Amino acid sequence: MNPTDADQDLDVAVSVVDITDPADPRVADFRDLSSVDRRPDVAVRADGGVGRGLVIAEGVFVTQRMIASRFTPHAFFGVNRRMHELAVDLANPSLAGVPFYRASAEVMAETIGFHLNRGVLAAAHRPAESTIAEVLDGARTVVVLEGVNDHENIGSIFRNAAGLGVDAVIFGAGCADPLYRRCVRVSMGHALLVPFAKSADWPGDLDLLRAHGFTTVAMTPGAGSVQLAEAVGAAKVAFLVGAEGPGLTEATMQRCDVRARIPMTRGTDSLNVATAAAVAFYERISRG
Amino acid sequence: MNPTDADQDLDVAVSVVDITDPADPRVADFRDLSSVDRRPDVAVRADGGVGRGLVIAEGVFVTQRMIASRFTPHAFFGVNRRMHELAVDLANPSLAGVPFYRASAEVMAETIGFHLNRGVLAAAHRPAESTIAEVLDGARTVVVLEGVNDHENIGSIFRNAAGLGVDAVIFGAGCADPLYRRCVRVSMGHALLVPFAKSADWPGDLDLLRAHGFTTVAMTPGAGSVQLAEAVGAAKVAFLVGAEGPGLTEATMQRCDVRARIPMTRGTDSLNVATAAAVAFYERISRG
């Protein structure tokens, strides 16, 4: 197929720019994506250096979700086939003049540092973060995370929140970056759509939840807990979940209104944290 | 520390054998574990060759579960530190004379083909598989999978089944190997403990479920479905779940007694299949 012929069929708002050199400075936002020390997306890098403060969408589906979100892509990087799959989305007038850096799979792999099966990336600058008060406004059900430092678990929690009627995600102490590429991918892009906020005063910010009328429900299999079904009926409910293994800290649980458990069998393994959260969300949407 | 001194403190039933050559034939059961073509554990390899028909446990925790399961390890391969962590388990008289191949992390990495953070492996031969009739005997709640070919999803389903009171897992057409290393690891070892059986006649074997008095509940967000809460009350319930994306086939759903849905918000994304299964298991254990 002659690329020129193919491009004649393509009616997009973005500006298509062909990239043949993996070292091309125009694709610096997509370089060394899996490097702990040099990742461009973080605001502050692992080595203490300043990053670019980006969020990166990966794959056709998540890129579509980013275009529909408050995160406005300022650059795309992908193979020709994915650009054509995204043609309708890339025709959005809001993307007028945004570069689509088109490259072979080989050039992409050299630039980003690994072979990307999904074939397309989009980069957006991170906007100012919402405050807890902002995301609580109008919310009826929220989830609050403490010590959840696994990107896949956070991504799954966003996906489960979106699917099961949870209005916002709040991050307490010790949580990983909700806008890291892997988290956004596992969330199916919902990390870009479900409102979230980070606590600057933990666990003191739990008082904000109470001030907004939320009943705080600590999810724990431990002593003093009631069955989950007995804990979801308040007008506004905030579910608190902790990392697998340690769970919520005692200091945090002591500030909560109620402790709730999921009925469990066969030994002491708790469910995965995202699964436990999904069960709580389900109980709330079904009977809250 | 002098290894000889350390060994004097170690009172185990296994026979400790030091391995210094990654090519040592005694550790052939652990060689090239991530190789699609040469993996030793499968019964029939991807290239059509005959494998060793093994199940491999990975890490201290899953190795402990394997020792407690119907899968009897015939060899261990690990670093000295992990052997000491497993000392109590390795003192089990049933393991008398079973070799513990002790090696450095470097020799292990060369043998198995990647660096194993968990530091210890155990290998068992696969016993004869249970029949569907065997695993249904005495069961009250089971889950039936169709087209679930992702090892991590299968592992999560085993873990959720163990945690939420499901008695057995049945594999219909198109499912991945439930005894693959990654599946066993993600299941937290529950793939070795929760009874399972594979269908040889799919979907015809659904008649076996009915013959055993099970009400078959197809999990689907599609038309004609009732709320999950209305579908969990029978004396014996079998939940059927399909792969993410396609879901259950229509032919399978037509053979089921009822179709049930999870209340969902925000668009058409279904939950991850293991999460949807967990929600169904929770509804059953809470109110079934």
Side-chain angles (χ1 to χ4, degrees):
Chain A
M1 188 179 71
N2 182 325
T4 309
D5 291 348
D7 290 354
Q8 284 174 349
D9 295 336
L10 195 68
D11 184 19
V12 293
V14 294
S15 301
V16 182
V17 179
D18 283 307
I19 300 287
T20 54
D21 176 5
D24 193 313
R26 291 174 292 184
V27 290
D29 280 355
F30 304 101
R31 197 178 311 290
D32 296 328
L33 281 187
S34 62
S35 161
V36 172
D37 289 336
R38 298 186 306 273
R39 269 174 51 199
D41 54 316
V42 292
V44 179
R45 299 185 316 212
D47 65 2
V50 178
R52 290 168 181 253
L54 305 178
V55 53
I56 307 271
E58 188 178 333
V60 168
F61 187 73
V62 177
T63 295
Q64 289 170 324
R65 286 250 154 100
M66 177 181 271
I67 292 170
S69 81
R70 67 193 167 98
F71 298 85
T72 311
H74 65 265
F76 298 89
F77 188 30
V79 299
N80 189 60
R81 186 158 71 91
R82 298 300 181 211
M83 184 174 73
H84 283 260
E85 285 175 35
L86 283 163
V88 170
D89 308 278
L90 298 176
N92 190 318
S94 73
L95 297 175
V98 172
F100 190 107
Y101 298 115
R102 178 170 62 178
S104 67
E106 293 70 30
V107 168
M108 280 192 75
E110 265 204 70
T111 305
I112 67 181
F114 57 92
H115 181 75
L116 185 83
N117 285 320
R118 294 173 182 78
V120 66
L121 298 161
H125 292 292
R126 299 187 183 207
E129 296 198 341
S130 303
T131 65
I132 293 178
E134 284 167 351
V135 304
L136 292 182
D137 186 37
R140 202 179 152 268
T141 310
V142 302
V143 62
V144 185
L145 279 51
E146 180 184 48
V148 180
N149 58 8
D150 179 276
H151 289 110
E152 297 198 16
N153 281 340
I154 293 175
S156 296
I157 288 170
F158 270 112
R159 182 179 179 187
N160 296 341
L164 294 167
V166 172
D167 303 303
V169 180
I170 293 170
F171 293 92
C175 294
D177 175 13
L179 294 181
Y180 178 48
R181 178 174 52 88
R182 189 164 4 129
C183 178
V184 173
R185 187 185 73 219
V186 172
S187 80
M188 307 287 276
H190 286 295
L192 307 175
L193 296 169
V194 176
F196 70 85
K198 295 175 187 167
S199 167
D201 172 22
W202 184 259
D205 277 338
L206 290 175
D207 295 341
L208 271 178
L209 287 160
R210 193 168 289 115
H212 279 78
F214 279 82
T215 296
T216 46
V217 179
M219 297 296 298
T220 173
S225 58
V226 303
Q227 291 286 348
L228 174 61
E230 299 167 31
V232 301
K236 298 181 179 181
V237 170
F239 292 111
L240 281 85
V241 296
E244 280 183 69
L248 293 167
T249 62
E250 186 59 32
T252 292
M253 289 194 285
Q254 282 181 358
R255 285 177 179 248
C256 289
D257 297 311
V258 60
R259 302 181 191 208
R261 68 176 180 276
I262 295 169
M264 299 283 289
T265 53
R266 293 201 213 194
T268 58
D269 282 318
S270 60
L271 298 173
N272 166 283
V273 59
T275 306
V279 165
F281 303 163
Y282 167 75
E283 183 68 53
R284 170 73 169 161
I285 199 174
S286 307
R287 268 169 288 266
Chain B
M1 187 179 75
N2 182 325
T4 309
D5 290 347
D7 291 353
Q8 283 174 350
D9 295 336
L10 194 69
D11 184 20
V12 293
V14 295
S15 301
V16 182
V17 179
D18 283 308
I19 300 288
T20 54
D21 176 5
D24 193 312
R26 290 174 293 184
V27 289
D29 281 355
F30 304 100
R31 197 178 310 291
D32 296 327
L33 282 186
S34 62
S35 160
V36 172
D37 288 338
R38 297 187 304 273
R39 268 174 50 199
D41 54 315
V42 292
V44 179
R45 299 185 317 213
D47 65 1
V50 177
R52 289 168 180 253
L54 305 177
V55 53
I56 308 272
E58 189 178 332
V60 167
F61 187 73
V62 177
T63 295
Q64 289 170 325
R65 286 251 154 100
M66 177 182 271
I67 293 170
S69 81
R70 67 193 167 98
F71 298 85
T72 311
H74 65 266
F76 299 89
F77 187 32
V79 299
N80 189 60
R81 186 159 70 91
R82 297 302 182 210
M83 184 174 75
H84 282 260
E85 285 175 36
L86 283 164
V88 170
D89 309 278
L90 297 176
N92 190 316
S94 74
L95 297 176
V98 171
F100 190 106
Y101 297 115
R102 179 170 60 178
S104 67
E106 293 69 33
V107 168
M108 278 192 76
E110 266 205 70
T111 305
I112 67 182
F114 57 93
H115 181 75
L116 185 83
N117 284 321
R118 294 174 181 78
V120 65
L121 298 161
H125 292 292
R126 299 188 182 205
E129 296 198 341
S130 303
T131 65
I132 293 177
E134 284 167 351
V135 303
L136 291 182
D137 186 37
R140 202 179 152 266
T141 310
V142 302
V143 62
V144 185
L145 278 51
E146 180 183 50
V148 180
N149 58 8
D150 179 276
H151 289 110
E152 297 197 16
N153 281 339
I154 293 175
S156 296
I157 288 170
F158 270 111
R159 182 178 178 187
N160 297 342
L164 294 167
V166 172
D167 303 303
V169 180
I170 294 170
F171 292 92
C175 294
D177 176 13
L179 294 181
Y180 179 48
R181 179 174 52 87
R182 187 163 5 127
C183 178
V184 173
R185 186 185 74 220
V186 172
S187 80
M188 308 285 277
H190 286 295
L192 307 176
L193 296 169
V194 176
F196 71 86
K198 295 176 187 167
S199 168
D201 172 22
W202 184 259
D205 278 338
L206 289 175
D207 295 341
L208 271 178
L209 287 160
R210 192 167 290 114
H212 279 77
F214 279 82
T215 296
T216 46
V217 178
M219 297 296 298
T220 173
S225 57
V226 303
Q227 291 287 348
L228 174 61
E230 300 168 31
V232 301
K236 297 181 180 181
V237 170
F239 291 111
L240 281 85
V241 296
E244 279 182 73
L248 293 166
T249 62
E250 186 58 33
T252 291
M253 289 195 284
Q254 283 181 358
R255 285 178 180 246
C256 289
D257 297 310
V258 60
R259 301 180 191 208
R261 68 175 180 277
I262 295 169
M264 299 283 290
T265 53
R266 293 203 213 190
T268 57
D269 282 318
S270 59
L271 298 173
N272 166 282
V273 59
T275 307
V279 165
F281 303 164
Y282 167 75
E283 183 68 55
R284 170 73 169 162
I285 200 173
S286 307
R287 269 169 287 266

